[in-house]
Amino acid sequence: MSGHQHRVRTPVGELLEAPLGLRERKKLRTRRAIRHEAFRLFAEQGYENTTVDQIAAAAEVSPSTFFRYFPTKEDLVVTDDYDPFLESALRARPAEEPPLAILKFAMTEGLRLILDEDREEILARMLISRQIPALRARAMAEAENSRGVLLRVLSERTGRAVDDYDLRVVVAAALGAATTAMDAWTESGGRADIVRLMDRAMDLLTSGLPLAAKRRD
Amino acid sequence: MSGHQHRVRTPVGELLEAPLGLRERKKLRTRRAIRHEAFRLFAEQGYENTTVDQIAAAAEVSPSTFFRYFPTKEDLVVTDDYDPFLESALRARPAEEPPLAILKFAMTEGLRLILDEDREEILARMLISRQIPALRARAMAEAENSRGVLLRVLSERTGRAVDDYDLRVVVAAALGAATTAMDAWTESGGRADIVRLMDRAMDLLTSGLPLAAKRRD
Amino acid sequence: MSGHQHRVRTPVGELLEAPLGLRERKKLRTRRAIRHEAFRLFAEQGYENTTVDQIAAAAEVSPSTFFRYFPTKEDLVVTDDYDPFLESALRARPAEEPPLAILKFAMTEGLRLILDEDREEILARMLISRQIPALRARAMAEAENSRGVLLRVLSERTGRAVDDYDLRVVVAAALGAATTAMDAWTESGGRADIVRLMDRAMDLLTSGLPLAAKRRD
Amino acid sequence: MSGHQHRVRTPVGELLEAPLGLRERKKLRTRRAIRHEAFRLFAEQGYENTTVDQIAAAAEVSPSTFFRYFPTKEDLVVTDDYDPFLESALRARPAEEPPLAILKFAMTEGLRLILDEDREEILARMLISRQIPALRARAMAEAENSRGVLLRVLSERTGRAVDDYDLRVVVAAALGAATTAMDAWTESGGRADIVRLMDRAMDLLTSGLPLAAKRRD
DNA sequence: ACAGCCGGGACGTCCCGTTGAT
DNA sequence: ATCAACGGGACGTCCCGGCTGT
């Protein structure tokens, strides 16, 4: 969702959806298993050096089945299903809350919930999609979806049109800032405090991006 | 951008650097021809549906030669010949100019110079990119390239490290805002006043992204 | 035609055979629906570009069901539900009618009956076939199916073996001529008089294929 | 060429073309080797049971190379390069020769030359393309090319338009008859006298396709 | 009987590295 | 330096058979 490109079919989704049939749950497990093994192998060997066949073998499914779950190898990394979650989280905020506060909430508390579930995988995912150019491109395309969600929600909150110029600028700037926070978190190997980073980024935005000169040591 | 071993002088670069040997100029032309044809084909057919062989044929070189100029197909997109030019233009600004003003300059005057070079092609490319998500993503990836330049220049100006968190947030937010301006300009078919759009975007940034509710009519 | 184990009654067949059980009629409808959708898709996208899954979806059955009705995708094309009808129509001719007259009858009256059934669809199919070579070939392959019927009937009439060489030559030549008549009819958009065309073709055959030189105007 | 579907890049072609460069001859040899091994395997295992990988291995090339020479496995069977040969052979006949005589010549002497070269392979080819429905369709599509050649040549000879109805009927009937001859030859395992068969077929055509009743023994 | 899910395997496309000829 | 040819290997599509549940 936010920032760059991290999305997965995760328990978070399951919690929000109606209880699924037995069939569906099995499919979900398979899907997760494939992704899980994939990221494990990516971590060991790198994305490019890992073949679909290896992933399928590790997940104990046939290559055909792999492609039924993920149309391309790239989809392992770039798709997720967090947007509905993001949207309902945003809508749950009180109506009088100012736009940037809502964004901040989405980027901190919302993200935290998701991270608590799939921390390792999301981290791996970001690391990979930062490094493989082909994935960067696709990941950014997917990120467009989240942008649309933010635009829609804020459009309703502010009474502005979804293509209002100011609104678009604000969302784009906020997403840029949030992406930076996620990147920094990724670079720290997930050890940095994502909430602090996100807070700091949002504060910079609301205070007009001050950038005092600083003496390098 | 940065760090790519196949970097070659661009036409803009040529103006700034010492005149190159005849051999070099020929290679440059080939390189540009390949990239030119490649982007034309990408626009027509999409990136994935365009093969290296097609590009080579269109540029009238053999596939082997293609690979001499661009070690992989992705390099066509990843490298960016404009960056050196942008960098030197930014360095030419007065030392006391505040960071956001420099960003603004990069986004207006710098852009204008580049547009003067290839206005038709750039506008066409952006118009198409808007419709094909894959291309849009690619355009955004290209924009990412400039991030490094901005970071380096502002790092020197402010005395902050290139990976200083605040600096990165500011640059990312500004790039997001600037991209929105470019999008709006593209939507207008190039008829909108890019400088005004950019001004407005930067003003929003410096004033803390206010987003007053507005009654829809 | 002949020898295919999944032979089912056609609507024409239904008229000629005893009324079928309700179960049987339902199966027949499904079979026809599948084939109908299949040919529609073939016409739109070509045979190779149409998947079994698409056909099944268009016919609103599951892929599994598709394979129950047609063991392979090719069977869609290879089998021909019209043949039994053609056969019984031919057998109804008086015993003393000469072979070529029977052929002629098959190509005119027999054809007419079939056309009355599905005129629109057949004309449409042929028009499209003319433009797409792959489809044209397939139509010719379908025509091949009728060859067996003709051979069998004429074999009985003349007392020659079904694999009698002369008989086969005659049938093949006649079919070639008849196909030309059908082509000409198709080119005219169905407006030409198919009976006249067929007459002319058969006359040419019986008169030894004279082809006097003609001064071009 | 004629009849059904038999065509290959053979020495016959080589004899007719200008002497080729060394490079070209090597490619020809590779092409022939691939096809040769393919048909050998087809004879042993059947067409469907033989994989491209096996063929490539037998011909000692990589699968990639196989696909450079033959875009699909089907092309092994259905394409040839005899049409130019057919055309020039036809044109070499004296101007006053009647049309059916020319056809007869093409079907007997012309064919004999080709058969002398590649008898086994052509036989195998016909056997296969008679059995595999997918190939029948493609082979007939290829046969259209030969039909075009015949139409063009006879059009010039008779002064009739290429789309003259009588001309088309004659060519179609003749091709049907010739195909039957080839089929009979194929069924005999190549042991029948193709020239006699073709003669008989053409005689039937010129005598109006008589088909006297015959008492079966 | 019908549906969904999975496995196995062939096919064909494409990228990119290497080699040898020009 | 350029080209043409080839190899190796991954990817992704598709067909079809088999299995399970209803």
PDB file of all heavy atoms in Angstrom, chain B residues 144-157:
ATOM      1  N   GLU B 144      12.821   9.034 -11.070  1.00  0.00           N
ATOM      2  CA  GLU B 144      13.632   8.628  -9.934  1.00  0.00           C
ATOM      3  C   GLU B 144      15.112   8.919 -10.144  1.00  0.00           C
ATOM      4  O   GLU B 144      15.846   9.201  -9.209  1.00  0.00           O
ATOM      5  CB  GLU B 144      13.472   7.116  -9.694  1.00  0.00           C
ATOM      6  CG  GLU B 144      12.237   6.714  -8.948  1.00  0.00           C
ATOM      7  CD  GLU B 144      12.365   7.063  -7.487  1.00  0.00           C
ATOM      8  OE1 GLU B 144      13.087   6.360  -6.777  1.00  0.00           O
ATOM      9  OE2 GLU B 144      11.749   8.060  -7.068  1.00  0.00           O
ATOM     10  N   ASN B 145      15.505   8.823 -11.393  1.00  0.00           N
ATOM     11  CA  ASN B 145      16.919   9.030 -11.681  1.00  0.00           C
ATOM     12  C   ASN B 145      17.400  10.399 -11.234  1.00  0.00           C
ATOM     13  O   ASN B 145      18.541  10.559 -10.786  1.00  0.00           O
ATOM     14  CB  ASN B 145      17.167   8.868 -13.182  1.00  0.00           C
ATOM     15  CG  ASN B 145      16.980   7.433 -13.623  1.00  0.00           C
ATOM     16  OD1 ASN B 145      17.088   6.524 -12.799  1.00  0.00           O
ATOM     17  ND2 ASN B 145      16.708   7.234 -14.894  1.00  0.00           N
ATOM     18  N   SER B 146      16.527  11.369 -11.403  1.00  0.00           N
ATOM     19  CA  SER B 146      16.942  12.730 -11.066  1.00  0.00           C
ATOM     20  C   SER B 146      17.068  12.925  -9.560  1.00  0.00           C
ATOM     21  O   SER B 146      17.699  13.877  -9.098  1.00  0.00           O
ATOM     22  CB  SER B 146      15.924  13.725 -11.611  1.00  0.00           C
ATOM     23  OG  SER B 146      15.590  13.390 -12.928  1.00  0.00           O
ATOM     24  N   ARG B 147      16.455  12.059  -8.836  1.00  0.00           N
ATOM     25  CA  ARG B 147      16.499  12.186  -7.391  1.00  0.00           C
ATOM     26  C   ARG B 147      17.932  12.222  -6.887  1.00  0.00           C
ATOM     27  O   ARG B 147      18.291  13.042  -6.027  1.00  0.00           O
ATOM     28  CB  ARG B 147      15.781  10.993  -6.748  1.00  0.00           C
ATOM     29  CG  ARG B 147      14.868  11.343  -5.612  1.00  0.00           C
ATOM     30  CD  ARG B 147      14.042  10.133  -5.257  1.00  0.00           C
ATOM     31  NE  ARG B 147      14.867   8.965  -5.036  1.00  0.00           N
ATOM     32  CZ  ARG B 147      15.178   8.501  -3.824  1.00  0.00           C
ATOM     33  NH1 ARG B 147      14.712   9.111  -2.749  1.00  0.00           N
ATOM     34  NH2 ARG B 147      15.929   7.441  -3.705  1.00  0.00           N
ATOM     35  N   GLY B 148      18.755  11.359  -7.436  1.00  0.00           N
ATOM     36  CA  GLY B 148      20.138  11.304  -7.001  1.00  0.00           C
ATOM     37  C   GLY B 148      20.852  12.630  -7.234  1.00  0.00           C
ATOM     38  O   GLY B 148      21.590  13.115  -6.369  1.00  0.00           O
ATOM     39  N   VAL B 149      20.600  13.198  -8.361  1.00  0.00           N
ATOM     40  CA  VAL B 149      21.240  14.469  -8.673  1.00  0.00           C
ATOM     41  C   VAL B 149      20.833  15.525  -7.666  1.00  0.00           C
ATOM     42  O   VAL B 149      21.671  16.232  -7.084  1.00  0.00           O
ATOM     43  CB  VAL B 149      20.858  14.917 -10.091  1.00  0.00           C
ATOM     44  CG1 VAL B 149      21.422  16.302 -10.361  1.00  0.00           C
ATOM     45  CG2 VAL B 149      21.370  13.923 -11.113  1.00  0.00           C
ATOM     46  N   LEU B 150      19.547  15.631  -7.458  1.00  0.00           N
ATOM     47  CA  LEU B 150      19.055  16.636  -6.524  1.00  0.00           C
ATOM     48  C   LEU B 150      19.647  16.408  -5.138  1.00  0.00           C
ATOM     49  O   LEU B 150      20.077  17.352  -4.456  1.00  0.00           O
ATOM     50  CB  LEU B 150      17.529  16.587  -6.448  1.00  0.00           C
ATOM     51  CG  LEU B 150      16.808  17.094  -7.693  1.00  0.00           C
ATOM     52  CD1 LEU B 150      15.310  16.881  -7.555  1.00  0.00           C
ATOM     53  CD2 LEU B 150      17.115  18.575  -7.912  1.00  0.00           C
ATOM     54  N   LEU B 151      19.669  15.169  -4.739  1.00  0.00           N
ATOM     55  CA  LEU B 151      20.210  14.865  -3.416  1.00  0.00           C
ATOM     56  C   LEU B 151      21.662  15.315  -3.314  1.00  0.00           C
ATOM     57  O   LEU B 151      22.054  15.945  -2.329  1.00  0.00           O
ATOM     58  CB  LEU B 151      20.104  13.366  -3.132  1.00  0.00           C
ATOM     59  CG  LEU B 151      18.740  12.868  -2.679  1.00  0.00           C
ATOM     60  CD1 LEU B 151      18.748  11.368  -2.499  1.00  0.00           C
ATOM     61  CD2 LEU B 151      18.361  13.561  -1.359  1.00  0.00           C
ATOM     62  N   ARG B 152      22.428  15.006  -4.325  1.00  0.00           N
ATOM     63  CA  ARG B 152      23.848  15.366  -4.268  1.00  0.00           C
ATOM     64  C   ARG B 152      24.033  16.878  -4.175  1.00  0.00           C
ATOM     65  O   ARG B 152      24.781  17.385  -3.340  1.00  0.00           O
ATOM     66  CB  ARG B 152      24.580  14.825  -5.494  1.00  0.00           C
ATOM     67  CG  ARG B 152      25.138  13.433  -5.305  1.00  0.00           C
ATOM     68  CD  ARG B 152      26.230  13.122  -6.315  1.00  0.00           C
ATOM     69  NE  ARG B 152      25.773  13.334  -7.684  1.00  0.00           N
ATOM     70  CZ  ARG B 152      24.998  12.494  -8.348  1.00  0.00           C
ATOM     71  NH1 ARG B 152      24.599  11.378  -7.757  1.00  0.00           N
ATOM     72  NH2 ARG B 152      24.615  12.743  -9.578  1.00  0.00           N
ATOM     73  N   VAL B 153      23.319  17.569  -5.028  1.00  0.00           N
ATOM     74  CA  VAL B 153      23.506  19.018  -5.051  1.00  0.00           C
ATOM     75  C   VAL B 153      23.058  19.645  -3.740  1.00  0.00           C
ATOM     76  O   VAL B 153      23.770  20.456  -3.130  1.00  0.00           O
ATOM     77  CB  VAL B 153      22.724  19.634  -6.227  1.00  0.00           C
ATOM     78  CG1 VAL B 153      22.739  21.146  -6.132  1.00  0.00           C
ATOM     79  CG2 VAL B 153      23.316  19.165  -7.538  1.00  0.00           C
ATOM     80  N   LEU B 154      21.873  19.243  -3.276  1.00  0.00           N
ATOM     81  CA  LEU B 154      21.381  19.842  -2.035  1.00  0.00           C
ATOM     82  C   LEU B 154      22.215  19.417  -0.849  1.00  0.00           C
ATOM     83  O   LEU B 154      22.344  20.161   0.135  1.00  0.00           O
ATOM     84  CB  LEU B 154      19.919  19.473  -1.817  1.00  0.00           C
ATOM     85  CG  LEU B 154      18.956  20.161  -2.772  1.00  0.00           C
ATOM     86  CD1 LEU B 154      17.517  19.878  -2.390  1.00  0.00           C
ATOM     87  CD2 LEU B 154      19.206  21.667  -2.780  1.00  0.00           C
ATOM     88  N   SER B 155      22.775  18.249  -0.942  1.00  0.00           N
ATOM     89  CA  SER B 155      23.669  17.821   0.117  1.00  0.00           C
ATOM     90  C   SER B 155      24.841  18.786   0.254  1.00  0.00           C
ATOM     91  O   SER B 155      25.172  19.242   1.357  1.00  0.00           O
ATOM     92  CB  SER B 155      24.164  16.413  -0.187  1.00  0.00           C
ATOM     93  OG  SER B 155      25.378  16.152   0.497  1.00  0.00           O
ATOM     94  N   GLU B 156      25.426  19.127  -0.858  1.00  0.00           N
ATOM     95  CA  GLU B 156      26.554  20.054  -0.807  1.00  0.00           C
ATOM     96  C   GLU B 156      26.116  21.432  -0.314  1.00  0.00           C
ATOM     97  O   GLU B 156      26.818  22.084   0.464  1.00  0.00           O
ATOM     98  CB  GLU B 156      27.183  20.166  -2.191  1.00  0.00           C
ATOM     99  CG  GLU B 156      27.855  18.881  -2.630  1.00  0.00           C
ATOM    100  CD  GLU B 156      28.299  18.948  -4.072  1.00  0.00           C
ATOM    101  OE1 GLU B 156      28.258  20.057  -4.630  1.00  0.00           O
ATOM    102  OE2 GLU B 156      28.653  17.890  -4.636  1.00  0.00           O
ATOM    103  N   ARG B 157      24.966  21.838  -0.781  1.00  0.00           N
ATOM    104  CA  ARG B 157      24.499  23.171  -0.422  1.00  0.00           C
ATOM    105  C   ARG B 157      24.210  23.310   1.059  1.00  0.00           C
ATOM    106  O   ARG B 157      24.443  24.350   1.662  1.00  0.00           O
ATOM    107  CB  ARG B 157      23.200  23.489  -1.177  1.00  0.00           C
ATOM    108  CG  ARG B 157      23.354  23.532  -2.663  1.00  0.00           C
ATOM    109  CD  ARG B 157      23.580  24.951  -3.095  1.00  0.00           C
ATOM    110  NE  ARG B 157      24.105  24.970  -4.444  1.00  0.00           N
ATOM    111  CZ  ARG B 157      24.065  26.042  -5.213  1.00  0.00           C
ATOM    112  NH1 ARG B 157      23.514  27.162  -4.776  1.00  0.00           N
ATOM    113  NH2 ARG B 157      24.592  26.010  -6.412  1.00  0.00           N
TER     114      ARG B 157
END
